[in-house]
Amino acid sequence: MSSDNPQSGQGRPLPRKESDLFKNVVKFYENKNYKKGMKNADQILKRFPNHGETLCMKGLILNGMASAKGAAGSKDKREEEEETKKEAVELVKRGLMMDMRSHVCWHVYGLLHRSSQNYAEAIKAYKQALRIDEENLQILRDMSLLQIQMRDLIGFKETRLRILTLRPNSKVHWLSYALSVHVNGDPDAAVGILDSYFGTLEEGCVEFEKNFESSELALYKNQLLSETKGEDEDGLGGVRKALEHLDEIEKVIVDHTGWLKAKLSYQLQLGNFEDAKDTAMKLFERGLTEEHRVHGAYMCALLKCDRETCLEVEKMKGTGTLATLRPFAEEERSILLDAYGSKDGLSKLYPRSNGIKRIYITILPTNSDEFKSAIDKYCQKQITKGVPSLGADLSSLYLMEDSRSNGSRLMLATDPLDVNVHPVHALLVDLIEAYITSLSSNNSFPSGEGESPPSALLWAWYLRSILHEQVAEYAQGITLINKCIEHTPTAVDFYELKARLLEAGGDIQQAADVIDAGRDLDHQDRYINNQTTKTFLRAGREEDAKKRIALFTREQGSPEQYLYDMQCAWYELELADLLSRKGEFGKSLRKYMAVVKHYEDYHEDQFDFHSYCIRKVTMRAYCDLLRFEDDLWGLPHYGRAAEEIAKIHLHIHDNPSALESDAEPDYSKMTPAERKKAKNMARKKKNAAARGGSKSDTKSNNTNGGSGNVKKSKPHAIDEDPSGKELLALNHLDEAKKYAAILARHAPKSISSWALQYDVSVRRGKMLMGLQALFKMKSIDSNSPQLFSRVVDFSQRLGSRSSKCHDTSEEIISAEFPKLMGGKTLSEFVKSAIERVKNDAASDLPMRTAVAKAIVSSGVGSAPDSLSVILDSKLNCRSANVDSCREALKFIESVGGQNGKGQFQALVITKFPFLKDF
């Protein structure tokens, strides 16, 4: 063996033979041919055992081999893979120590960190490599990918400029640099970069021809122009340039629909309403009559709305249009009705469009004969067809003025109390009752236009049952849906509706049995199977739920693991809720953390698109992806999981005894027989938890063992902490703080985010942060019961605390907190709330419960006074559901009002006739 130790960083390269072998090592690693790469590396190290670059590459190959195997399999295999990764890290570190001046070693060190998603350390390693080799394109590219992943936008811009300077003849480098400037908030400069790139091209090249890449690049430049401010006083110079630019690029555009949509948006923003109407009509001609966003823009053009309204309508989702955003004046309504319903209107031009027919009904005044006639005709047609979604469709007509916007905006009535007094609901009830009467006696609708099919009466009953559900008339709804089931016992939709009525009416157990009976009618329907699973979980029947959901998972392996691999967040959230209700907080945290892990995976998955999207010139979609990923942590499922994780940690922090049920029992106080029995039970429980889904795995393996043609199931990871003991051992306040901060940053418009932030802050003694959270809550909803209860709590904490904050913080609290209470004392604040809820008979039940609690805690009144706040409503108030009633009952029991408890229980049973164990 030679004693030479060539170091490439010191200018002493390997001999030719070993140098060729090293090139092969790199090639085999890039092609993921790890065994051959390892063999070549060992050949080099046999002669030069201290060669730094080879040691690093060997470590990188070992790491790749461990990652390729994954974490599946037995505990021993996973431990072996962990050891392999540790060995890989040691090899890379050893190689780096042998050749600190080699850019290859530092690059490999960065790649190793990147593979473990330690991006910050990887960037540091890349920067060190670039100090040695400033013009290494591969390292610069790798670093730029990590910088955009970490949203180091300034560093990303600088790196892409260096790459472009080194290789200005590459299209990808020009586009990447333009994008880096764009994401740094300078669309003007990004436009200039694209213009410079176009200036380097020769006339007649493929970039100026009509193809996908040219089209996307032209539309991306157009998007940049629209984001520039321009030199005009109104700040719309960029939009004007973008509109002019659309005409210039029309000849290369492939996505003509996208081109027209952009044109329509610019025309509306600039007030070119006649041109906007023509553009909208062109979109309708292209088949977009069912796209409500185009209809919303068309309405804005007809009514000549201001720019802010046009942009608001443009962002609306689903079936939202201008007609569902704000109320119309009579003149405005007349214009829209003429555009949609006249002889030359859209309904005549596109008679088969369901969207146009439905929008026309929304525009009509609800108190007019035309509205009644139109809704009558619409309902008859849908009932004759047997459309189950008709009830949900019609519920979008329950529009009412939003009191928070002083009547300038509309909102959808969803509470049964509001729906019950809505004129559209009353009209629908009258219509459907007339249908049922006429169909029962004459087998035709009241209009008498021919004989109706036998199923018309069935679907009229079904719709009437839904109308009962919307106003919380559960017993009447059950009576009608039972008629439907008796008439046609094979229709799955009827069982689903009956289950919803039973669940809302309080009998979740029977609801689960009913929907399971409906599921049994169609074993191929994944939707009804999922709904059955969800209802079983809400009913606390975990094993039944697992059996149902397993029907649509792979036969091999554990259903739980399959659902985790498929990122089935709704199931994990429902199961976590169930476990939390049972007090199994460790297991519940495991399931909530699984949902959090899914979102971390979504965030990690964007990495592959950073280079792909630029290469394929899907620039607009890539910008949308970056915006989506930036808002990822504010999405509903993540928010729900994060909030519940924080609440569990806060609950355990406040009640450490909640974990005593999981502790080891005290065997010393037991008799020998009791001790033996307790140890056997504990051992069985532990073994069952460790096995997890091993029974189903064994069964599937036995089934497959007799056939050589059946593909063996892939081994899955074994959960070594099924009870979540590791999560329960964490610092609960720190964990709650982490998730509260994430929600406050990424979901700032949710009042529950700031309620959680307050709860965490006051427990940490951060009163100023708690005060800030209260002001944020007030800006979202000043009448929220969550806000009211926390303002009372904050006031009481200020009066009872043993130590004060810093002088500056005390000054701010003293000056700002009284504003939350309107300058009132705590007693006056609570009394004003009592007066407010008593004067408003419809004030919601959670608010009444919060006020009742404040009466007792602040000493403003007696226990009977607090009970009267709840009982006086007779439950004819908003948000009176089973959960809010249970919360109110818990308070009533806490103050010892036996008479009040009996009165409240009677009210609840009357409202929820199927409720048991209340």
Side-chain angles (χ1 to χ4, degrees):
M1 182 185 296
S2 173
S3 61
D4 292 336
N5 182 22
Q7 303 294 305
S8 60
Q10 299 174 359
R12 290 167 21 185
L14 286 166
R16 182 173 179 179
K17 179 183 176 182
E18 282 72 20
S19 179
D20 291 340
L21 286 172
F22 184 79
K23 291 177 182 177
N24 287 337
V25 170
V26 175
K27 182 181 71 173
F28 288 136
Y29 169 75
E30 291 174 348
N31 294 333
K32 296 186 178 181
N33 196 341
Y34 297 131
K35 289 185 179 180
K36 289 186 178 179
M38 184 68 70
K39 183 178 179 180
N40 280 261
D42 287 337
Q43 283 184 266
I44 299 172
L45 294 173
K46 188 174 182 181
R47 183 175 177 188
F48 302 107
N50 294 324
H51 186 242
E53 293 179 357
T54 305
L55 285 169
C56 286
M57 285 304 303
K58 182 178 179 180
L60 193 60
I61 290 171
L62 271 176
N63 183 72
M65 293 171 72
S67 300
K69 293 178 182 178
S74 66
K75 181 179 178 180
D76 292 338
K77 285 186 177 180
R78 283 183 288 114
E79 287 179 353
E80 182 183 341
E81 288 157 9
E82 287 298 322
E83 288 298 321
T84 304
K85 286 191 174 184
K86 287 181 182 178
E87 183 184 351
V89 173
E90 292 300 320
L91 276 171
V92 173
K93 286 183 177 180
R94 180 183 160 200
L96 186 60
M97 291 298 296
M98 291 295 173
D99 195 353
M100 296 285 287
R101 294 177 59 191
S102 168
H103 70 273
V104 173
C105 293
W106 283 106
H107 189 192
V108 169
Y109 192 49
L111 291 174
L112 193 69
H113 280 303
R114 192 184 83 174
S115 69
S116 59
Q117 299 178 11
N118 191 354
Y119 296 141
E121 290 299 318
I123 290 174
K124 289 180 184 178
Y126 289 154
K127 286 181 177 179
Q128 186 64 35
L130 289 170
R131 290 177 185 169
I132 300 167
D133 187 358
E134 297 180 356
E135 299 185 355
N136 190 302
L137 276 175
Q138 186 59 50
I139 300 175
L140 285 168
R141 285 194 202 100
D142 288 346
M143 187 168 74
S144 71
L145 295 177
L146 292 184
Q147 286 169 329
I148 187 61
Q149 177 79 6
M150 296 288 289
R151 297 300 190 269
D152 175 13
L153 301 181
I154 295 175
F156 177 57
K157 175 183 172 183
E158 292 172 352
T159 303
R160 294 313 311 190
L161 178 59
R162 289 172 68 181
I163 293 173
L164 179 61
T165 304
L166 291 171
R167 293 287 173 86
N169 58 344
S170 172
K171 174 183 177 180
V172 171
H173 297 163
W174 281 99
L175 298 186
S176 299
Y177 181 51
L179 177 78
S180 69
V181 173
H182 180 202
V183 296
N184 272 279
D186 192 356
D188 292 278
V191 171
I193 293 164
L194 290 180
D195 286 337
S196 299
Y197 167 66
F198 288 128
T200 64
L201 304 176
E202 299 178 356
E203 289 188 15
C205 72
V206 70
E207 298 295 338
F208 298 119
E209 296 177 0
K210 186 174 182 178
N211 56 62
F212 176 79
E213 290 191 5
S214 300
S215 173
E216 283 297 309
L217 187 54
L219 288 172
Y220 175 61
K221 179 183 175 182
N222 184 263
Q223 179 181 316
L224 291 173
L225 284 170
S226 70
E227 294 177 14
T228 60
K229 297 297 182 183
E231 300 177 357
D232 298 4
E233 294 182 0
D234 58 3
L236 296 176
V239 178
R240 291 188 179 89
K241 289 180 181 177
L243 184 58
E244 295 171 1
H245 180 252
L246 283 176
D247 294 328
E248 297 173 9
I249 63 175
E250 184 177 8
K251 61 183 179 180
V252 300
I253 295 300
V254 174
D255 180 12
H256 202 67
T257 299
W259 182 85
L260 284 171
K261 286 183 179 179
K263 189 173 185 178
L264 177 58
S265 176
Y266 302 153
Q267 288 168 339
L268 288 174
Q269 292 182 57
L270 295 171
N272 301 342
F273 298 117
E274 293 301 321
D275 293 338
K277 283 191 283 186
D278 294 338
T279 305
M281 291 302 296
K282 290 179 181 177
L283 284 167
F284 291 142
E285 291 170 7
R286 292 182 66 85
L288 273 71
T289 54
E290 309 305 308
E291 187 165 333
H292 285 68
R293 194 172 295 179
V294 179
H295 283 285
Y298 183 58
M299 292 179 189
C300 289
L302 290 169
L303 301 183
K304 301 180 179 179
C305 297
D306 57 83
R307 181 170 181 262
E308 288 72 22
T309 302
C310 293
L311 291 174
E312 191 174 357
V313 170
E314 189 178 321
K315 294 176 183 177
M316 294 183 75
K317 298 179 180 179
T319 58
T321 63
L322 185 64
T324 62
L325 178 67
R326 68 172 179 83
F328 293 134
E330 288 302 318
E331 184 180 352
E332 292 176 329
R333 195 183 302 276
S334 177
I335 293 171
L336 293 177
L337 290 175
D338 184 63
Y340 276 85
S342 67
K343 293 181 179 179
D344 299 327
L346 293 177
S347 59
K348 300 298 180 183
L349 292 173
Y350 306 100
R352 300 184 65 182
S353 170
N354 290 322
I356 290 174
K357 293 174 186 175
R358 185 62 182 75
I359 290 171
Y360 178 72
I361 294 173
T362 308
I363 298 169
L364 286 167
T366 56
N367 57 355
S368 66
D369 292 335
E370 290 182 11
F371 178 80
K372 182 176 180 179
S373 175
I375 202 73
D376 184 15
K377 184 178 179 182
Y378 185 77
C379 287
Q380 287 188 29
K381 183 177 180 180
Q382 301 294 330
I383 288 173
T384 302
K385 286 183 176 181
V387 178
S389 60
L390 179 58
D393 179 14
L394 295 173
S395 67
S396 63
L397 293 170
Y398 303 152
L399 296 169
M400 55 188 289
E401 291 185 357
D402 189 349
S403 57
R404 294 171 296 182
S405 63
N406 298 320
S408 63
R409 289 291 183 266
L410 295 173
M411 62 177 289
L412 195 62
T414 54
D415 192 276
L417 191 72
D418 296 322
V419 174
N420 197 31
V421 297
H422 201 282
V424 175
H425 182 268
L427 173 61
L428 289 172
V429 169
D430 292 340
L431 281 175
I432 306 308
E433 289 285 3
Y435 293 168
I436 292 172
T437 302
S438 180
L439 288 167
S440 299
S441 58
N442 304 323
N443 198 28
S444 65
F445 288 100
S447 58
E449 296 178 0
E451 188 173 327
S452 301
S455 62
L457 177 60
L458 179 70
W459 290 106
W461 285 337
Y462 179 79
L463 178 57
R464 184 66 183 95
S465 184
I466 290 176
L467 295 177
H468 281 304
E469 177 193 20
Q470 292 169 353
V471 293
E473 296 172 350
Y474 305 121
Q476 298 92 320
I478 286 288
T479 301
L480 279 174
I481 201 62
N482 281 338
K483 281 187 177 183
C484 295
I485 293 173
E486 185 180 349
H487 184 284
T488 308
T490 56
V492 176
D493 298 286
F494 301 157
Y495 293 88
E496 184 189 2
L497 176 56
K498 184 177 180 179
R500 288 208 314 264
L501 288 163
L502 287 167
E503 181 178 355
D507 193 350
I508 185 66
Q509 297 297 335
Q510 190 179 351
D513 292 333
V514 167
I515 198 169
D516 190 43
R519 178 206 61 82
D520 203 36
L521 297 173
D522 188 354
H523 292 175
Q524 304 302 314
D525 191 332
R526 184 188 292 267
Y527 167 77
I528 196 66
N529 188 75
N530 289 350
Q531 291 300 107
T532 304
T533 302
K534 188 180 293 185
T535 310
F536 272 132
L537 289 172
R538 291 176 180 175
R541 295 159 65 172
E542 183 180 348
E543 291 305 316
D544 288 333
K546 289 181 177 179
K547 288 177 183 177
R548 300 304 180 272
I549 199 66
L551 296 174
F552 280 85
T553 60
R554 290 175 182 168
E555 293 182 6
Q556 297 86 8
S558 165
E560 292 280 328
Q561 183 65 30
Y562 176 81
L563 292 166
Y564 176 79
D565 293 340
M566 293 294 103
Q567 300 176 330
C568 191
W570 69 264
Y571 172 80
E572 289 163 336
L573 286 172
E574 291 290 344
L575 180 56
D577 291 344
L578 165 62
L579 295 169
S580 179
R581 290 193 298 270
K582 291 167 64 177
E584 298 179 9
F585 298 117
K587 293 181 179 180
S588 180
L589 285 173
R590 292 286 295 175
K591 289 301 174 184
Y592 285 129
M593 287 302 299
V595 177
V596 171
K597 180 63 169 62
H598 296 333
Y599 279 80
E600 290 173 355
D601 290 342
Y602 301 155
H603 187 263
E604 181 63 26
D605 288 344
Q606 69 174 304
F607 192 89
D608 296 330
F609 291 94
H610 295 315
S611 58
Y612 174 83
C613 289
I614 305 295
R615 193 168 66 251
K616 295 297 183 180
V617 202
T618 55
M619 306 291 287
R620 293 182 299 155
Y622 180 56
C623 290
D624 291 339
L625 169 69
L626 294 179
R627 294 189 190 100
F628 169 79
E629 293 287 350
D630 289 340
D631 297 334
L632 187 67
W633 313 115
L635 293 178
H637 274 6
Y638 180 86
R640 179 177 163 189
E643 184 178 347
E644 292 302 324
I645 290 170
K647 284 182 177 179
I648 288 176
H649 282 296
L650 289 178
H651 175 73
I652 297 173
H653 176 266
D654 295 341
N655 306 279
S657 60
L659 299 181
E660 289 181 0
S661 60
D662 295 332
E664 184 91 2
D666 187 1
Y667 297 119
S668 62
K669 297 180 181 179
M670 298 181 183
T671 65
E674 290 174 340
R675 190 182 307 121
K676 182 178 180 181
K677 184 177 180 181
K679 287 184 176 181
N680 285 337
M681 290 180 65
R683 185 172 62 253
K684 288 179 180 179
K685 187 176 180 181
K686 183 178 179 181
N687 292 339
R691 285 197 305 268
S694 61
K695 289 185 179 180
S696 60
D697 296 344
T698 305
K699 183 178 179 180
S700 63
N701 290 336
N702 290 339
T703 303
N704 297 336
S707 174
N709 297 326
V710 179
K711 184 178 179 180
K712 291 185 178 180
S713 61
K714 183 181 178 180
H716 57 80
I718 297 175
D719 190 356
E720 294 182 6
D721 185 28
S723 299
K725 291 182 179 179
E726 293 179 4
L727 295 171
L728 294 174
L730 298 172
N731 185 299
H732 301 296
L733 212 50
D734 287 347
E735 290 299 302
K737 172 192 169 186
K738 178 175 72 173
Y739 288 104
I742 291 172
L743 293 179
R745 179 180 178 185
H746 294 280
K749 294 182 180 179
S750 170
I751 195 168
S752 60
S753 298
W754 295 107
L756 183 64
Q757 179 78 323
Y758 170 83
D759 294 341
V760 173
S761 298
V762 294
R763 284 168 174 80
R764 295 176 58 230
K766 305 293 184 181
M767 302 301 285
L768 197 57
M769 289 182 66
L771 181 62
Q772 180 198 36
L774 292 178
F775 273 102
K776 292 288 187 180
M777 292 176 71
K778 185 177 181 180
S779 67
I780 297 170
D781 185 0
S782 60
N783 297 318
S784 167
Q786 293 177 292
L787 172 63
F788 173 79
S789 61
R790 283 166 177 78
V791 169
V792 173
D793 177 73
F794 192 83
S795 178
Q796 292 170 338
R797 286 177 182 272
L798 287 179
S800 62
R801 57 187 173 155
S802 56
S803 60
K804 293 189 175 183
C805 307
H806 188 272
D807 291 343
T808 306
S809 299
E810 284 296 327
E811 290 177 10
I812 296 173
I813 292 172
S814 300
E816 297 298 325
F817 179 61
K819 296 178 182 178
L820 281 172
M821 302 180 69
K824 301 172 184 175
T825 64
L826 177 59
S827 297
E828 293 171 342
F829 181 70
V830 175
K831 286 178 181 177
S832 66
I834 297 171
E835 184 179 355
R836 190 165 61 251
V837 297
K838 287 196 171 184
N839 291 337
D840 182 10
S843 59
D844 59 66
L845 183 58
M847 185 64 184
R848 289 177 176 273
T849 306
V851 172
K853 290 179 180 179
I855 291 172
V856 175
S857 64
S858 63
V860 170
S862 62
D865 293 332
S866 65
L867 294 180
S868 67
V869 172
I870 297 174
L871 297 175
D872 288 350
S873 68
K874 306 295 183 184
L875 289 186
N876 294 319
C877 55
R878 296 186 181 90
S879 303
N881 52 46
V882 173
D883 291 336
S884 61
C885 287
R886 290 191 187 280
E887 186 67 26
L889 180 65
K890 191 185 298 182
F891 165 74
I892 293 172
E893 290 175 335
S894 70
V895 297
Q898 291 300 320
N899 292 333
K901 178 182 177 182
Q903 293 178 43
F904 187 70
Q905 286 176 324
L907 290 172
V908 172
I909 295 301
T910 302
K911 189 173 183 68
F912 304 101
F914 313 116
L915 187 59
K916 298 177 181 177
D917 303 325
F918 188 79

